[in-house]
Amino acid sequence: MPDYDVVVIGGGIGGLSAAALCQKAGMKTLVLEQSDRIGGCCSTFETEGFHFDVGASVVEVTRAFDELFKRLEMPREKYIPLIPVDPIYDYCDNTRGVRFAYPTSVEDTARVIAEFSPEDARAFLKFAEDYTPKIKGLVDNFFYAPSLGFMDTIRLIAKYPQMISVLPMFVTTHQKIVARYFKNADVLASMAFQSFYAGLPPDMCAGLYAIVGLLEHEGIYYPEGGMIRIPAGIQQAFEDLGGETRFNARAVRVMVEGRRAVGVELWDGTEITARNVVGAINAKKLYEDMVGREHIPWHVWRGVRSLVLSMPCPMIYLGIDYEPPLNAHHTLTLTDPRVMNDYWSDYYLKGKLYVKDGRVEVMGLISWASKIDPSLAPPGKHVLTHMGLAPYNLAGNDWDRYKERYIDEAIATIERYIIPDLSKHVVYRDMATPKDLERMLLHPGGAVYGIQTDLSHMAVFRPANRSKCIGNLYLAGASTHPGGGVPAVVAGGIITGSLIVKDNA
Amino acid sequence: MRGKTKAMIALGVAGATAAWLAMATEPSDWRYAKLLLTQLPKMPFRYFV
């Protein structure tokens, strides 16, 4: 008799969500986490009294959590207390004297835009009017529906016929959609940069992601105690239901017999047998390293090998000794969409960092988590994290050697555009390079969003939540359907958990 | 459904997508179109992952 009904490899939010649903259905479930910390990329670590979020810095579309806890019949508020974050972004460029913030309210945001572009303010209201109904339909249907094959797509359209009106968004680009509405360069940039949340520049990202700039106006939230509160809350719910979590338990192999997963082997040789195995890690790593070529038919192997990893997001962690002159949880400097697009071909694909006026500029998103939750830093001090975009392989250099210089360049960039004199206030500094993210979180290529999110890697072309070549093997996490980002990964966990429960009923 | 039938359906969908793209793509979308066109031959295989 197998040791467990379900073994989940990876204690990220996708694996935990699937595990909790299986445990709720009465299946004896074990979660294996390779590190001593839960959550993977959606987590928080402590050092010298500062609490830094590993990667994810905020959460939107809380409906995904509400849906999970509704299915668990447990109160979400008890397990994951969320604090509203308003304004959503503060855009700042001291070199041009530009600064404005978008509040949560759509109408108030239109008023902010109207101060410098009345035409774009009207366009923003029109954008909201056109796409808000599509967002609701997409989130409530596409997000929680499995996409194992074409029949699922047909079922989805039958259940939600309006999906047909959304399909063109898959084949057009993010840039094309927002450019139809916005003319002012700053407003256009403020609606275009979200494509990088899918790891692609605006003119290469599926148009579907154009709704993110609007989706954020449904409200963004930060969990009390840091982003780790999200996986910790789901883990607590899972354990309250009787589930078991094992830390420092690194799985190295999915045991396969006759094309069916029968368990997991750990790094120390321990074998754990199970009726069902969930790989809540990068799908490419799962198939290539843990399942192995010998168990995978040639055509599936070819598909696995063809998967393109998403763009890495190096993270910089700064502890500072004063309250920074920022106005919001998230601050960034807007970049012309043409520059965002050219960055891909002129820099990223060539392994280069972005250079302007002869110096490296490290553009990215600054998160000031201790503004929302002061307990994340010692009294009088604050934490800042900076999420950038950079290639995994640096041309002519190596991340381990370049790391300190990159932090210097990032601080210098922030000083130029947003926080003058920042360097005088830094009392702690560190970063997670793409190679560190690969080593710490086992994300191949440092790809925190898993697999690239273009049309050729979406829905039925994204690794399926139920393996199509190995029986009893399931997938969860950013590299499976519906994709990366906190709410999507939780939604994917719901799909996976529901499939396991249904298949074992 | 047999593997060959599935592969034919996947190829058909990939072909239809290519045709749709060819009709819907404007010159400004060339980079996205290029990305998708280079990925199209791989999509039938990805369908089975």
Side-chain angles (χ1 to χ4, degrees), chain B:
Chain B
M1 207 185 292
R2 289 177 58 207
K4 260 188 184 173
T5 316
K6 284 183 185 174
M8 291 301 287
I9 294 172
L11 274 170
V13 170
T17 309
W20 186 4
L21 274 173
M23 285 189 292
T25 301
E26 291 172 14
S28 59
D29 297 332
W30 70 270
R31 216 156 17 185
Y32 189 57
K34 193 176 156 196
L35 169 80
L36 294 183
L37 285 171
T38 56
Q39 298 298 317
L40 267 175
K42 300 165 186 170
M43 289 167 74
F45 297 101
R46 282 182 196 151
Y47 179 82
F48 294 97
V49 179

Side-chain angles (χ1 to χ4, degrees), chain A residues 316-501:
Chain A
I316 293 173
Y317 311 111
L318 301 175
I320 54 176
D321 65 1
Y322 79 137
E323 185 172 318
L326 297 174
N327 298 330
H329 179 75
H330 275 163
T331 305
L332 74 155
T333 300
L334 291 169
T335 308
D336 187 316
R338 280 172 300 186
V339 175
M340 294 186 216
N341 294 327
D342 291 343
Y343 170 75
W344 176 267
S345 52
D346 297 349
Y347 295 92
Y348 176 71
L349 292 179
K350 293 177 180 170
K352 294 179 182 173
L353 297 173
Y354 177 59
V355 176
K356 187 180 172 190
D357 300 330
R359 57 189 169 196
V360 169
E361 294 220 322
V362 182
M363 290 301 194
L365 182 67
I366 297 171
S367 299
W368 177 23
S370 50
K371 172 185 165 63
I372 302 288
D373 185 348
S375 73
L376 299 176
K381 297 192 170 94
H382 285 272
V383 290
L384 296 179
T385 59
H386 177 281
M387 178 189 262
L389 294 157
Y392 174 74
N393 288 309
L394 282 180
N397 218 317
D398 177 81
W399 273 111
D400 291 334
R401 281 202 305 270
Y402 199 80
K403 189 171 175 170
E404 290 303 319
R405 193 169 147 191
Y406 186 84
I407 300 174
D408 287 338
E409 287 165 344
I411 292 173
T413 306
I414 298 169
E415 282 189 324
R416 257 194 308 283
Y417 290 96
I418 301 170
I419 313 175
D421 300 330
L422 174 64
S423 56
K424 292 177 187 159
H425 296 280
V426 174
V427 293
Y428 177 86
R429 50 181 266 170
D430 196 4
M431 83 169 285
T433 70
K435 293 220 166 160
D436 292 331
L437 292 169
E438 184 176 64
R439 288 186 286 245
M440 291 186 320
L441 306 176
L442 304 185
H443 287 301
V448 292
Y449 290 107
I451 307 295
Q452 189 165 286
T453 313
D454 59 73
L455 178 64
S456 76
H457 290 90
M458 290 175 83
V460 294
F461 301 110
R462 202 166 182 83
N465 302 68
R466 183 206 286 137
S467 174
K468 294 173 182 174
C469 62
I470 306 290
N472 304 341
L473 178 63
Y474 298 82
L475 283 78
S479 58
T480 189
H481 174 73
V486 173
V489 172
V490 170
I494 293 173
I495 293 172
T496 305
S498 305
L499 282 170
I500 299 170
V501 172

Side-chain angles (χ1 to χ4, degrees), chain A residues 38-58:
Chain A
I38 203 79
C41 199
C42 179
S43 193
T44 309
F45 66 93
E46 189 271 335
T47 180
E48 297 181 22
F50 294 104
H51 298 256
F52 296 104
D53 291 324
V54 174
S57 58
V58 83

Side-chain angles (χ1 to χ4, degrees), chain A residues 167-212:
Chain A
L167 288 178
M169 293 176 74
F170 284 83
V171 290
T172 190
T173 65
H174 184 136
Q175 175 160 306
K176 198 169 170 184
I177 290 181
V178 292
R180 274 181 209 147
Y181 290 86
F182 307 108
K183 304 300 170 215
N184 178 282
D186 285 327
V187 180
L188 181 61
S190 73
M191 299 292 164
F193 78 90
Q194 290 89 344
S195 70
F196 285 109
Y197 291 159
L200 285 166
D203 75 347
M204 291 179 72
C205 184
L208 191 66
Y209 279 81
I211 64 170
V212 176

